[in-house]
Amino acid sequence: RQSGRRYNLFLKQRLRIDKRHQSKDSIFFRDGVRRIDFVLSYVDDLNKEWEKKLERRKEFESNLQKAGLELETEDKKESEDGKICFVKIHAPWEVLITYAEVLNIKVPIKENDIPSMVENPLDCMLAPFRLPEKVMHPEPDYFTAPFSKEKQELYLINDESTFFSPSMRNRIVNYILTRCPYGTEEGKKKFGIKRLLNNGTYSAAYPLHDCQYWKKANDPNCDNERYTLYMEWARFLRFYKEQPLDLIRKYYGEKIGIYFAWLGFYTEMLFLAAVIGLICFLYGLFTMDENMSSKEICDPAIGGEIIMCPLCDRECEYWRLNTTCASSEYSHLFDNVATLFFAIFMGIWVTLFLEFWKRRQARLKYEWDLVDFEEEQQQLQLRPEYEAKCTQKKKNPVTQEMEPYLPITSQAVRFCISGTTVLFWVSLIIASMIAVIVYRLAVYAAFASLMENTQTLQPISGLLTPQLATSVTASCLNFVIIMILNFIYERIAIWITDMEIPRTHMEYENRLTMKMFLFQFVNYYSSCFYVAFFKGKFVGYPGAYTYMFNRWRNEECDPAGCLIELTTQLTIVMAGKQIWGNIQEAIVPWICNWWGRRKARNNPENLYSRWEQDHDLQTFGALGLFYEYLEMVIQFGFITLFVASFPLAPLLALMNNILEIRVDSWKLTTQYRRPVAAKAHSIGVWQEILNGMAILSVVTNAFIVAFTSDMIPRLVYYYAYSESEDSPMSGYINNSLSVFQISDFPDRNKPKLNPENFVICRYRDYRYPPDHERRYLHTMQFWHILAAKLAFIIIMEHVVFVVKFFVAWMIPDVPADVKAKIKREKYLTQKILHEYELEKLKERLCQGDKRATEKEFIATEGRMELSRAM
């Protein structure tokens, strides 16, 4: 009853308010004229810090009004829960033009008269993938120039209320909010909305979405861009359509726009890699029956007669080679001649991707007016946290103004603490990887014993070998450890980056990026590096095995090679990460929003205001894009660093990315508050990381083909040691296995049981037999194979690097037509500005302005002539 009364009281209050005849879905002040550019919210409850928070809010809001912003408050009685107050902020024209000049915002001066590109003859074929022209290009293309208050007549100002787009307006207001003071505490000047959010004075600060995503707004002045983005971009059924990048940029800003442009381009380029990878996989599938190695292993007369040495000490028994028949057949899917071709192809594909992205990025920079956007401009804008924490000041050599700085001694101490923390966590990852290796070594004997003695597992013993069971469980355990360490380290990385007090936002992002990437690199790839380059390489031989910590015997590879285990490891970690990532990105925000809005769903829709609807959404934080880039760059590592072991990796990545684009767009459009617009002319430091991984991938794939796959030993046997002209690969398995005399086993290694009284057993290596004078030493064939492996690595690396650098040199970073357009636009913009200055000077001369001398007029006219000549 009590809850029913409260609900009826709430409805009465809201209906009373509704008499003002303003739609609750409106994005304007109560007068219906002034647009809401930003909203601040706070919980008005009487706790012990209530007075202090009230004082801060009064001071802060008073200073915002002094800065020229206009405020309108919605009382807590008018909110859905009766606790939250909302402060709506509007930036009037005078404020917008003042800060547009400060932020160097470019605005239109003339419609672009440069002809568009020649039509593509394939456009008719691509029509099903195209979006309507109004969606792809929501506004005309203009020549632009940085805004100046003194030259307002120059710009195409048709309507002051719509001249600056909503994303520009919220960027300007956010700039003021982050620098507005709110008083002095503990002798220090305090300022910035971020600090007020951290100390609980305000609970949220966000710009508004322009409408609900599932239907258009009733207000005719609303652009309904969110609705358009949802209908044309954020729904999964539109997965085959191109992305409306211009509309994304207009609504969310250039920084988010460039991310989706990069993700879309990366996905397009993956299509070619996925097709070639699928062809290589199908080649392995269709030639599986022709693989002589697996034929010999599966043949009862060959593999069935070869007795292998035990894979662990004492507990394991002797086993017949044909028990690994199924795994040897499956290993051929990935370990064949096509693997070499695909590894070389991917080395070149990476270069093509990076070079063509530079060209695509250059085109976007021109189309989005970012050509003259300089990072130095951003670097001059200090982080409010830096200004607040650094009390000492010195003169800036660029601006010649006094500004705060961090003493070198303080920097050194902070960097030492930061570096030590990062090293500790990287060491922790390596320790966890060693723990997983110990697990593999410790449980192998248990799996071997379990599978041999359990009758129910006998039917699948050919498919699920002890090696595979150990590999799969270890991979799953490793994935769980990766996720746990990742969750903890994210918070540690942010804490130590905050502790370093970076000077600018760009510096902050770059430092955090390098810390997070270093950690993620070791975290995700260490297990793959172990299987690829260490497992089975330092085993020793029967009677002289090598042990980890003098206790656990090192793992051996399957007789068919370690490549299938690397494939298993890669598949589990890569697929697991992608599935977990999509659950985190889509399902978790949806559940949080569903839970947060469970009460609001019971209220009439016309009483649930636009600012309350957005308040109930999740926050897309300052590091939101950072995590998106990190996820994709880690995936990029999987499909480049280890692609020689798994040609289907690009196909998995392609399917994930098609889903990823729609998941990211859906959550950004429907589940998150509108982010503050930010500028960026490139993907930043991620470009350098991608370049580094591209170079490293050539080395890793060369080593995988040489040392992890069986390709080089097979080729050496084929050309140098084969004894049959009709079937050159027959006898390879017998040749690749050495002989050990069982009586030479020391007690530590000798199996407890030998029911069939075997005299000899075989093991994977190239060593002399027990009756040879150089018993158990490496044969000459071992050294031939090692030399061939090293030669292959050198040749492959040099060939791929030469082709990579040649391709990079051949493809210019900026397309020729874009260069021409940039020059043309600069010339026309200068001409328009000079003509404007000349007209103004003529007016001043006509009005008898003594300062407008004849010499100044001649100089201005001369500058125009010089510009034309150039």
Side-chain angles (χ1 to χ4, degrees), residues 255-256 259-260 490 494 508-509 512 585 619-632 660 664 667-668 672-673 675-676 686:
K255 196 168 187 177
I256 288 177
Y259 163 73
F260 280 103
E490 277 183 12
I494 293 170
Y508 181 90
E509 282 189 19
L512 183 61
E585 288 183 22
T619 305
F620 191 79
L623 298 175
L625 271 189
F626 167 80
Y627 292 117
E628 301 297 341
Y629 275 119
L630 184 62
E631 180 187 0
M632 287 296 103
E660 181 77 23
D664 285 351
K667 72 178 184 184
L668 202 60
Y672 283 91
R673 295 172 188 159
V676 177
W686 297 109

Side-chain angles (χ1 to χ4, degrees), residues 51 146 174 256 310 315 335 375 389 410 466 547 584 658 729 811:
E51 288 186 6
N174 184 65
I256 288 177
E315 299 297 329
D335 192 358
E375 299 292 355
K389 291 178 182 177
S410 179
Y547 290 81
Q584 275 187 312
I658 291 170
M729 289 307 294
I811 302 173

Side-chain angles (χ1 to χ4, degrees), residues 410-420 499-500 511 515:
S410 179
Q411 287 184 42
V413 171
R414 291 170 189 276
F415 277 122
C416 285
I417 296 170
S418 171
T420 306
M499 183 201 64
E500 290 174 9
R511 288 189 192 179
K515 286 184 187 70

Side-chain angles (χ1 to χ4, degrees), residues 374-398:
E374 295 179 357
E375 299 292 355
E376 289 78 14
Q377 193 181 20
Q378 299 293 308
Q379 287 176 0
L380 292 175
Q381 296 174 9
L382 301 178
R383 288 174 69 235
E385 295 84 353
Y386 180 85
E387 293 179 284
K389 291 178 182 177
C390 299
T391 53
Q392 299 184 38
K393 294 194 174 186
K394 69 174 184 180
K395 187 179 283 188
N396 186 313
V398 179

Side-chain angles (χ1 to χ4, degrees), residues 492-511:
I492 299 292
I494 293 170
W495 175 76
I496 57 178
T497 308
D498 287 339
M499 183 201 64
E500 290 174 9
I501 318 180
R503 188 169 176 274
T504 63
H505 290 287
M506 188 189 306
E507 201 175 310
Y508 181 90
E509 282 189 19
N510 289 348
R511 288 189 192 179

